[in-house]
């Protein structure tokens, strides 16, 4: 029997890599992890966690205004970006420490350096040290995609957005996915003039058209501008330090910051996959089977580097399933059907199951139930912003096959509602549930 330094060597200490390593060690494996940046990965260090904290901070802009209609005398408010930024980054430091502690508590050895694959059972650290392992797990995640155009180096990505010294006066955000819309809401509430440009005429592709249209209407009402069917031609620096952006189908514009939010690509560059014969697909993602095994029997991959579903909870489940399968003697796979998701825009969107277009294409005959309402808080605050809840059912069985929402706290409401959709409950089951009144969520059992 071959003698290896470790039973498992994981490259990447993000959500998937940490879960897989911890569980594999709990099953008795000798485990090591190499992480060239910080333990915790994109979500914890420079993604959804710090971004959600900024979303919370942005909400106070409107909350302070609304409070006046509820009888509160609010003196002129002043926002301190640096204070919020530093508080958020301090909490990121705390989480980084907790994730590191989780690994060390399970006796997982951590190498704070880059690792590349130099053989089917071998990795080489940036220090030159070589380590062998019975199994290798690749969990290197994804990185922001930056469009190729003259002057693209003058822009930033979501990675750098958390470290800005000040809120730019004018921000141009490229892309129309969840990252673009989330940062648009954040910067807009912090007082920036925000423009979103996108090469197509749609935003949030993959979400239901009704909630996408509602977000567009609300965003425009809040002062966010949109330039559709626009592609970068070039970015130039003006004498005053601002940026001149030239694009197709629209006039050039001067801004203070260009934020690229044009998707994320799997982190496979320089990993040495070719040294072990690990195959990638046409989009640069590592090919894996249902058990996350690559084209090499002892090398696995989980998370965004496989480009299956780029969501943190999915990466965690993949890491858990890998460890249970390989080290726990309990073959496990991940069910990718009916995964709920959210966009922490302003207001937020949440969805689970099929969109209306998907349901019509797959089922043919469907029933649509909606509630288009103004939340009670908005009524008192004299705010015209309306929420929209939408339920999609199979016309024959009335099984709920999709649920889509836009409005305050939609992601919080969706987590519980997604259980019902996953359990294949029907409209009758929803109707039979007594409403919790007065709440926004009661609209889910009153849909017409």
């Amino acid at each position: 029997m071959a003698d290896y330094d470790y039973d498992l060597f994981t490259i990447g200490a993000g959500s998937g890599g940490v879960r897989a390593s911890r569980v594999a060690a709990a099953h008795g494996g000798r485990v090591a992890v190499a992480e060239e940046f910080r333990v915790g990965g994109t979500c914890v260090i420079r993604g959804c966690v710090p971004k959600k904290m900024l979303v919370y901070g942005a909400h106070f802009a409107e909350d302070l205004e609304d409070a006046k209609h509820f009888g509160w005398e609010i003196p002129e408010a002043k926002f301190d970006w640096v204070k919020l930024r530093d508080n958020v980054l301090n909490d990121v430091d705390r989480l980084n420490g907790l994730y590191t502690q989780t690994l060390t508590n399970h006796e997982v050895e951590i190498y704070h350096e880059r690792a590349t694959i130099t053989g089917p059972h071998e990795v080489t650290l940036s220090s030159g040290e070589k380590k062998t392992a019975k199994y290798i797990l690749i969990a290197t995640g994804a990185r922001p995609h930056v469009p190729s155009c003259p002057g693209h180096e003058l822009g930033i990505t979501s990675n750098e957005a958390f470290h800005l010294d000040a809120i730019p006066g004018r921000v141009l955000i490229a892309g129309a996915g969840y990252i673009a819309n989330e940062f648009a809401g954040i910067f807009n509430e912090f007082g920036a003039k925000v423009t979103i440009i996108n090469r197509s005429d749609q935003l949030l592709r993959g979400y239901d058209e009704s909630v996408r249209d509602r977000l567009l209407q609300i965003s425009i009402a809040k002062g966010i501008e949109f330039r559709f069917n626009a592609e970068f031609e070039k970015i130039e620096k003006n004498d005053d330090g601002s940026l001149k952006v030239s694009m197709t189908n629209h006039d050039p514009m001067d801004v203070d910051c260009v934020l690229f939010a044009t998707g994320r690509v799997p982190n496979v560059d320089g990993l040495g996959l070719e040294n072990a014969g690990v195959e990638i697909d046409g989009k640069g993602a590592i090919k894996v089977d249902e058990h996350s095994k690559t084209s090499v029997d002892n090398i696995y991959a989980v998370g965004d580097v496989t480009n299956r579903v780029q969501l943190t909870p999915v990466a965690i489940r993949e890491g858990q399933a890998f460890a249970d399968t390989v080290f726990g003697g309990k073959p496990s796979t991940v069910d990718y059907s009916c995964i709920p998701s959210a966009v922490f825009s302003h207001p937020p969107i949440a969805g689970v199951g099929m969109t209306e277009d998907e349901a019509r294409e797959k089922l043919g005959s469907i029933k649509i139930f909606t509630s288009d309402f103004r939340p009670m808080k908005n009524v008192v605050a004299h705010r015209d912003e309306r929420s929209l809840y939408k339920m999609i059912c199979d016309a024959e069985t009335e099984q709920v096959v999709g649920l889509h929402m836009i409005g305050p706290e939609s992601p919080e409401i969706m987590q519980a509602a997604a259980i019902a959709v996953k359990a294949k409950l029907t409209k009758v089951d929803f109707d039979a549930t007594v409403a919790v009144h007065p709440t926004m969520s009661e609209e889910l059992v009153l849909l017409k």
Side-chain angles (χ1 to χ4, degrees):
M1 179 179 292
D3 185 24
Y4 302 106
D5 297 322
Y6 301 101
D7 298 310
L8 172 66
F9 197 103
T10 301
I11 304 177
S15 298
V18 168
R19 175 58 66 89
S21 299
R22 176 179 67 79
V23 176
H27 285 315
R30 297 169 300 156
V31 182
V33 175
E35 172 55 58
E36 62 180 307
F37 187 53
R38 304 183 74 186
V39 175
T42 295
C43 179
V44 172
I45 305 301
R46 51 180 178 248
C48 34
V49 171
K51 183 173 56 185
K52 182 69 179 292
M53 294 176 187
L54 296 185
V55 169
Y56 282 134
H59 272 290
F60 282 104
E62 290 184 355
D63 288 344
L64 288 169
E65 286 296 319
D66 293 348
K68 298 174 184 177
H69 296 284
F70 287 86
W72 290 93
E73 293 185 12
I74 306 294
E76 184 177 356
K78 182 180 179 182
F79 174 64
D80 187 338
W81 159 253
V82 172
K83 186 170 186 178
L84 173 61
R85 179 201 66 188
D86 291 350
N87 285 342
V88 169
L89 294 179
N90 286 339
D91 204 61
V92 167
D93 290 341
R94 180 184 67 85
L95 293 171
N96 170 237
L98 289 176
Y99 271 72
T100 301
Q101 187 178 22
T102 293
L103 291 175
T104 56
N105 285 348
H106 285 81
E107 299 183 348
V108 175
E109 191 165 356
I110 304 173
Y111 293 94
H112 296 281
E113 53 187 307
R114 182 175 179 82
T116 56
I117 297 173
T118 48
H121 293 276
E122 183 186 80
V123 299
T124 300
L125 302 172
S126 56
S127 62
E129 190 176 2
K130 297 182 183 296
K131 298 293 179 182
T132 59
K134 184 176 182 180
Y135 296 100
I136 295 173
L137 175 67
I138 304 168
T140 49
R143 67 182 186 278
H145 168 262
V146 176
S148 178
C149 74
H152 67 82
E153 69 280 357
L154 298 173
I156 66 170
T157 70
S158 55
N159 288 352
E160 294 79 38
F162 299 104
H163 301 272
L164 291 171
D165 291 329
I167 295 296
R170 300 163 298 177
V171 181
L172 178 65
I173 300 178
Y178 71 95
I179 296 175
N181 283 279
E182 288 170 343
F183 273 107
I186 290 168
F187 285 132
N188 183 65
E189 294 301 323
F190 289 157
K193 176 58 183 174
V194 178
T195 303
I196 286 181
I197 71 167
N198 191 43
R199 62 182 181 180
S200 76
D201 60 356
Q202 292 184 347
L203 56 90
L204 290 173
R205 189 163 47 99
Y207 281 85
D208 192 84
E209 185 174 359
S210 298
V211 296
R212 290 192 281 122
D213 287 347
R214 179 61 56 88
L215 178 63
L216 178 61
Q217 295 167 13
I218 294 174
S219 296
I220 291 174
K222 289 181 183 294
I224 298 173
E225 293 187 359
F226 291 83
R227 291 190 175 191
F228 291 118
N229 299 309
E231 294 196 47
F232 284 97
E233 291 182 332
K234 60 181 176 179
I235 304 174
E236 302 168 281
K237 180 168 284 190
N238 295 320
D239 292 339
D240 63 358
S242 63
L243 303 176
K244 181 179 181 180
V245 182
S246 300
M247 63 194 77
T248 59
N249 300 318
H250 297 271
D251 293 333
M253 63 185 302
D254 290 333
V255 297
D256 301 300
C257 176
V258 174
L259 171 62
F260 294 117
T262 49
R264 298 178 63 80
V265 294
N267 252 332
V268 297
D269 293 353
L271 272 180
L273 302 180
E274 66 283 356
N275 296 324
V278 176
E279 296 180 2
I280 60 174
D281 64 20
K283 294 184 177 180
I286 296 178
K287 293 182 180 180
V288 291
D289 65 12
E290 62 178 353
H291 290 293
S292 295
K293 183 190 293 186
T294 71
S295 54
V296 180
D297 281 346
N298 66 292
I299 300 179
Y300 291 71
V302 298
D304 291 359
V305 76
T306 67
N307 203 26
R308 285 175 283 187
V309 178
Q310 289 193 356
L311 290 172
T312 296
V314 174
I316 291 172
R317 286 191 173 230
E318 290 172 354
Q320 178 82 43
F322 156 77
D324 286 342
T325 298
V326 177
F327 291 92
K330 187 175 75 172
S332 305
T333 58
V334 176
D335 180 2
Y336 294 96
S337 66
C338 213
I339 296 174
S341 62
V343 181
F344 293 99
S345 47
H346 203 93
I349 287 174
V352 66
M354 288 186 272
T355 65
E356 180 178 345
D357 289 343
E358 290 169 343
R360 290 193 187 282
E361 183 177 344
K362 185 174 182 179
L363 303 176
S365 181
I366 62 174
K367 290 182 180 179
I368 305 293
F369 301 88
T370 62
S371 179
D372 190 334
F373 63 97
R374 190 154 64 128
M376 184 185 297
K377 180 184 175 185
N378 286 355
V379 175
V380 177
H382 299 171
R383 195 174 290 280
D384 293 330
E385 189 175 302
R386 298 181 67 84
S387 297
L388 176 65
Y389 292 1
K390 181 176 182 179
M391 177 182 285
I392 303 163
C393 299
D394 185 320
E396 183 177 344
T397 65
E398 288 214 345
Q399 177 188 329
V400 180
V401 297
L403 194 59
H404 308 277
M405 310 162 63
I406 178 171
E409 308 301 334
S410 288
E412 300 291 345
I413 297 169
M414 180 57 70
Q415 181 64 84
I419 298 171
V421 180
K422 182 74 171 176
K424 301 182 179 180
L425 299 188
T426 66
K427 179 68 165 63
V428 173
D429 294 317
F430 275 77
D431 292 344
T433 304
V434 176
V436 178
H437 181 75
T439 65
M440 291 180 294
S441 58
E442 71 178 298
E443 297 295 327
L444 288 175
V445 299
L446 302 173
L447 293 167
K448 303 297 183 184

